[in-house]
Amino acid sequence: MLQQQLRGTGVALVTPFTTQGAIDWTGLERLIDHVIGGGVNYVVTLGTTGETPTLSSDEKLDLIKFTFEKVNKRVPVVVGVGDYNTRDVVKRLETCPLDEAAAVLSVAPYYSKPTQEGIFQHYKAIAAASPKPVILYNVPARTGRNMTAETTIRLANEVDNIIAMKEASGDMVQCMQIIRDKPEGFLVISGDDAIAMPQIACGMDGVISVAANYFAKDMSAMVKASLEGNYEEARRFHYKMLQAFDLMFAENNPAGIKAFLHAAGLMENEFRLPVVPVTDGLYGKIKSFLGSY
């Protein structure tokens, strides 16, 4: 049942801020309604796209509770709980309000550059502590260390509470190795908007998307068509959004997607340092793109 709920389009929610630097709760409610109205299958709160490293512990708890309240069981909610300090992740899993969560998304440990055995033991400890199923998250461009296909398959086979992988290495061969060797029922989810369609064609189960914050309807339609094998329809949406993907990630995530959302009047173009808004030149290109989209 859970695997079916998490098959399709998930959206890694941004965290809107006011011009005073506080969380913009009205903007977040508007965003949640926008993505659910656009047809996403589930939402992810406290992912890296939500600028989680700049949020206080109290703000993270408030965001979890607020997201549950405003989603109001319309779609499943996945909660991001990850860090390079394994003991800290375990402690947070024991105290976070996760009763209403469908699953936990936990990014691979960053900065420390652990060995593959270190990554395996990190996730094994997290899975043992988690009251909810765990989704692995491999994003070596941010963590500094790739989680290999062999480590992913070992975790999938040996740790019962690990049910899925968000794969954002961009390495298509590695992705195909995971898809080929994974146990039955283990989900492989794209973490790359621009290559989600070909990855689904290879056998992935959907995407956890940044772009769906703005392009909820078209991303959901593209993923649905891909999962149904209707690639003529899927390609139509893919190429329609292709330039948007380039613009969105040209300078920084989430600065790019927030520029799209600001241009559409959905939220302020505000961040917490060290993230800053996109340059005026890129913002102008985004506005021009949206004017003809």
Side-chain angles (χ1 to χ4, degrees), residues 171-227:
D171 184 336
M172 288 293 288
V173 173
Q174 175 167 293
C175 292
M176 289 185 286
Q177 290 169 340
I178 295 169
I179 294 164
R180 179 193 64 194
D181 298 335
K182 71 180 182 71
E184 185 177 355
F186 184 82
L187 299 180
V188 186
I189 302 165
S190 173
D192 289 299
D193 286 306
I195 57 174
M197 187 198 70
Q199 287 178 324
I200 294 171
C202 290
M204 282 198 180
D205 296 285
V207 65
I208 294 178
S209 171
V210 173
N213 278 279
Y214 180 88
F215 298 98
K217 185 176 180 180
D218 284 356
M219 280 298 298
S220 298
M222 182 190 77
V223 171
K224 183 176 185 293
S226 298
L227 288 170

Side-chain angles (χ1 to χ4, degrees), residues 15-32:
T15 302
F17 295 117
T18 68
T19 53
Q20 289 75 41
I23 294 175
D24 177 5
W25 299 107
T26 301
L28 180 55
E29 182 175 6
R30 188 183 304 122
L31 177 65
I32 289 169

Side-chain angles (χ1 to χ4, degrees), residues 141-174:
R142 288 182 178 267
T143 64
R145 178 72 78 200
N146 179 53
M147 178 162 42
T148 65
E150 291 78 12
T151 299
T152 300
I153 297 305
R154 184 183 172 199
L155 285 162
N157 281 316
E158 296 183 24
V159 185
D160 291 341
N161 204 31
I162 292 175
I163 63 156
M165 154 67 91
K166 178 184 176 184
E167 235 297 341
S169 68
D171 184 336
M172 288 293 288
V173 173
Q174 175 167 293

